[in-house]
Amino acid sequence: MANDNKDFFERVYQVAELIPQGRVTSYGAIATYLGSSRSARMVGWALNKCSSWHRFIPAHRVVNRKGLLTGKHHFPGGETMKELLENEGVQVEDNQIVNFNEVFWDPSNELL
């Protein structure tokens, strides 16, 4: 992995670690906060790799812009992401956050 990617991934992880329990954000919101608004997919790649990182990253709290659990296939088992979110009080139906607007955490507004 190139150093630029490694640095970007680390910055993604630093933001993800700040997402409060019971809240979610989107790949795009993290990318925008990091000044790379067109890099939502790269945020997803970073979170896909975080299981091999040296610390716990709450990647289950990051979903797509519509509240869909698009990253769920990167977790062991088919329901792990959903279960982790529900354990934090986030309602999920049909792989989508039920009250997405209420639980959405925007780092650009929260991390001033």
Side-chain angles (χ1 to χ4, degrees):
M1 173 178 353
N3 265 349
D4 288 346
N5 284 353
K6 189 173 183 180
D7 292 343
F8 183 80
F9 284 19
E10 175 59 30
R11 290 172 42 221
V12 168
Y13 301 154
Q14 289 172 354
V15 174
E17 288 175 317
L18 298 173
I19 305 166
Q21 190 171 10
R23 304 285 300 276
V24 297
T25 195
S26 68
Y27 305 104
I30 292 175
T32 298
Y33 175 75
L34 294 176
S36 300
S37 61
R38 295 179 177 250
S39 298
R41 185 165 291 173
M42 191 146 170
V43 170
W45 290 336
L47 293 171
N48 178 29
K49 299 287 186 196
C50 75
S51 63
S52 63
W53 210 247
H54 59 279
R55 64 187 189 269
F56 173 73
I57 308 295
H60 65 283
R61 297 179 188 151
V62 185
V63 296
N64 84 353
R65 64 186 172 88
K66 296 179 181 180
L68 290 169
L69 310 187
T70 53
K72 73 177 197 157
H73 59 280
H74 294 290
F75 290 83
E79 298 293 314
T80 303
M81 185 176 185
K82 177 183 179 200
E83 291 168 0
L84 289 168
L85 288 167
E86 288 178 337
N87 287 341
E88 295 182 4
V90 177
Q91 293 179 296
V92 180
E93 285 181 15
D94 297 322
N95 295 312
Q96 186 165 16
I97 307 296
V98 173
N99 51 344
F100 183 58
N101 289 333
E102 294 172 32
V103 298
F104 183 74
W105 181 84
D106 186 348
S108 293
N109 293 332
E110 302 288 340
L111 303 175
L112 301 175

